Amino acid sequence: MNQKGYRIALLAFVLLLTGTTVNASNAWQLKLYSGKVFWMGKELEQNPSMPFLQKEEVTYIPVRSLEKSGIGFTRYDAKTKNIYIDPYDTFKSTSVSKAYAQKEDDFFKLRINSSKTSYKEGENLDIWSSLDVKSTASITIKHGNPLVSYFLIDEDGLFVSETRAASLHTSTLHFDDQMISVWRGMLAHHYIGDKYGYFDKPNGEQLFHQEVARPLRLPAGDYTIGAFAEYSVSNEIQKHIENNEVKRKRLEATIKIKIE
């Protein structure tokens, strides 16, 4: 931003969602904006089909550029004529848990929290979890990334879990260390795709984009939401290998929520 303090406006036009540019007219007299725009520290992508435009001291940003920059999903619902902008990750600075559950083993205590037991359809899930180190001695573990992940089970028994990196990471942790993990909307994306078979269809990705207005929000229903951590303690791995029984420890805690 320069000293003029340009105001930023998101263009909520369907033609920009579809990638069509806006032509300057006598009424608007728009010109191309030559600067860069950052959303929470991430630069928004700009290309000729979706330019940033400027009129006087107002800069107009295509809504679709948020999705192209990997920040979240933007969708136009033709039925309601609503435009939805849903970031992948959301975090409220202050939340009080109305529902929680916790489990512990010899090394960790895992707690999952939700600020509500019932959410409205389309509302972001205010769910987070904490993993606290109980061991009084420092421990070195091998684990996937992220260490704490989420899964869900719907009322029909469908189980969907977050995708994690296959490569193992090594972390050394100390007594009272705490790791915080927040609910990530991409799990809803995976669930909707699996539930309605979008990803099994030849043109499934295109249909998913056209038909699902809120891909980062769970549809109405009853759900079990779980947080889990899988890990191996490094000083036990060699012993397990010698016994041909490499074991992973798994710690999980679940809560139930309703979306209506």
Side-chain angles (χ1 to χ4, degrees), residues 41-220:
K42 189 165 188 175
E43 183 179 353
L44 298 186
E45 179 180 316
Q46 183 173 188
N47 60 56
S49 67
M50 294 186 297
F52 298 171
L53 302 173
Q54 184 179 331
K55 179 180 182 293
E56 298 175 350
E57 293 188 356
V58 178
T59 302
Y60 296 89
I61 309 300
V63 170
R64 191 66 177 276
S65 66
L66 296 174
E67 181 167 338
K68 291 294 185 181
S69 302
I71 290 171
F73 281 114
T74 58
R75 290 292 186 273
Y76 172 68
D77 188 340
K79 294 180 181 178
T80 62
K81 301 189 184 303
N82 292 335
I83 292 175
Y84 297 100
I85 305 172
D86 292 322
Y88 294 128
D89 297 317
T90 58
F91 181 71
K92 293 174 64 175
S93 58
T94 303
S95 293
V96 177
S97 60
K98 299 297 184 182
Y100 73 91
Q102 64 183 36
K103 292 289 181 67
E104 55 187 272
D105 59 16
D106 293 337
F107 301 100
F108 298 102
K109 179 173 70 176
L110 175 64
R111 171 168 166 148
I112 183 172
N113 309 270
S114 176
S115 64
K116 296 181 179 181
T117 57
S118 181
Y119 292 85
K120 295 180 180 179
E121 190 170 11
E123 184 179 1
N124 179 61
L125 300 186
D126 188 20
I127 293 175
W128 71 101
S129 59
S130 60
L131 185 69
D132 295 86
V133 178
K134 287 176 49 183
S135 174
T136 55
S138 297
I139 56 171
T140 299
I141 62 172
K142 290 187 179 297
H143 59 89
N145 186 35
L147 173 55
V148 178
S149 299
Y150 291 92
F151 66 86
L152 68 82
I153 305 172
D154 71 6
E155 54 199 10
D156 296 323
L158 177 61
F159 175 94
V160 179
S161 182
E162 283 187 317
T163 302
R164 298 188 299 161
S167 58
L168 291 178
H169 293 249
T170 301
S171 299
T172 299
L173 304 170
H174 311 279
F175 177 65
D176 266 356
D177 283 352
Q178 183 181 76
M179 289 137 285
I180 302 294
S181 175
V182 298
W183 168 266
R184 291 172 283 270
M186 281 303 293
L187 184 53
H189 179 280
H190 299 329
Y191 168 76
I192 296 170
D194 287 351
K195 178 75 172 180
Y196 301 105
Y198 280 105
F199 304 143
D200 297 327
K201 301 174 183 177
N203 59 339
E205 289 287 349
Q206 181 180 355
L207 287 174
F208 186 90
H209 187 280
Q210 293 172 346
E211 297 176 359
V212 181
R214 309 297 301 276
L216 300 179
R217 300 292 185 263
L218 289 174

Side-chain angles (χ1 to χ4, degrees), residues 234-250:
S234 291
N235 59 12
E236 296 181 356
I237 292 178
Q238 185 59 41
K239 179 178 67 176
H240 291 156
I241 291 175
E242 292 170 356
N243 296 331
N244 294 317
E245 52 173 14
V246 178
K247 294 181 178 179
R248 284 186 181 178
K249 298 180 183 294
R250 180 182 174 98

